[in-house]
Amino acid sequence: MANVTFYEKPGCKNNTKQKNLLMAAGHNLEAKSLLTEPWTAETLRPFFGELPVSLWFNKSAPRIKSGEVIPDNLTEEKALELMIADPLLIRRPLIQVEGVYRVGFDPEKIEAWIGLNPENPVTEDLETCPRSHQEKPCTTV
């Protein structure tokens, strides 16, 4: 059992499913809003580790889908600047367990890191937003 700090977009269906999986595996969760956390480059950067900048971003974010923000064209510094100004750009969830920081919810990686429930493997995509957002965008608070 791990003590997990879980940064989410409140109300996100996938984040709710992810939290439920972690709790079902016996982990203690402290959920925080990714949108209201007072991020700085120093507090946000550790979550991304050695991942390329393009994998730091939420591919479902409106500014990415519209082409306004193109993650492949950004430096680390510019990426962090944009994400701090607009947290919807940050790939979710951000997870911290003790001194280890991760971004995204890959069930196999979570299982290997802190454990999930191996009897009930996750078969659905829990990162890509299932909503189109064209008719009614998700709330941001």
Side-chain angles (χ1 to χ4, degrees):
M1 171 175 61
N3 293 316
V4 177
T5 304
F6 186 95
Y7 294 92
E8 66 174 327
K9 177 182 168 192
C12 173
K13 289 181 181 186
N14 279 343
N15 284 161
T16 298
K17 290 177 184 179
Q18 295 160 351
K19 290 187 303 184
N20 288 339
L21 286 168
L22 290 166
M23 289 185 291
H27 301 298
N28 295 318
L29 240 63
E30 178 185 7
K32 295 185 174 188
S33 173
L34 182 89
L35 305 179
T36 60
E37 187 71 19
W39 295 112
T40 65
E42 293 76 25
T43 59
L44 186 57
R45 178 63 182 90
F47 289 96
F48 308 120
E50 298 298 319
L51 291 174
V53 170
S54 63
L55 296 180
W56 298 5
F57 285 84
N58 170 13
K59 293 177 185 174
S60 298
R63 293 177 65 198
I64 291 177
K65 288 178 112 177
S66 73
E68 178 185 345
V69 174
I70 302 170
D72 288 333
N73 296 345
L74 301 173
T75 64
E76 284 191 13
E77 294 77 19
K78 186 62 177 176
L80 290 167
E81 177 186 315
L82 288 169
M83 289 189 284
I84 290 166
D86 181 2
L88 284 176
L89 293 170
I90 303 170
R91 182 176 165 198
R92 300 186 300 267
L94 297 179
I95 302 174
Q96 178 184 354
V97 176
E98 296 179 11
V100 179
Y101 300 78
R102 301 275 171 89
V103 62
F105 199 90
D106 179 326
E108 289 180 11
K109 289 181 181 178
I110 301 288
E111 169 63 37
W113 175 30
I114 59 173
L116 283 175
N117 186 347
E119 286 89 45
N120 294 318
V122 178
T123 57
E124 65 182 303
D125 177 359
L126 292 180
E127 278 200 64
T128 305
C129 184
R131 299 186 60 189
S132 71
H133 299 106
Q134 290 176 352
E135 290 182 25
K136 183 179 177 193
C138 291
T139 58
T140 58
V141 179

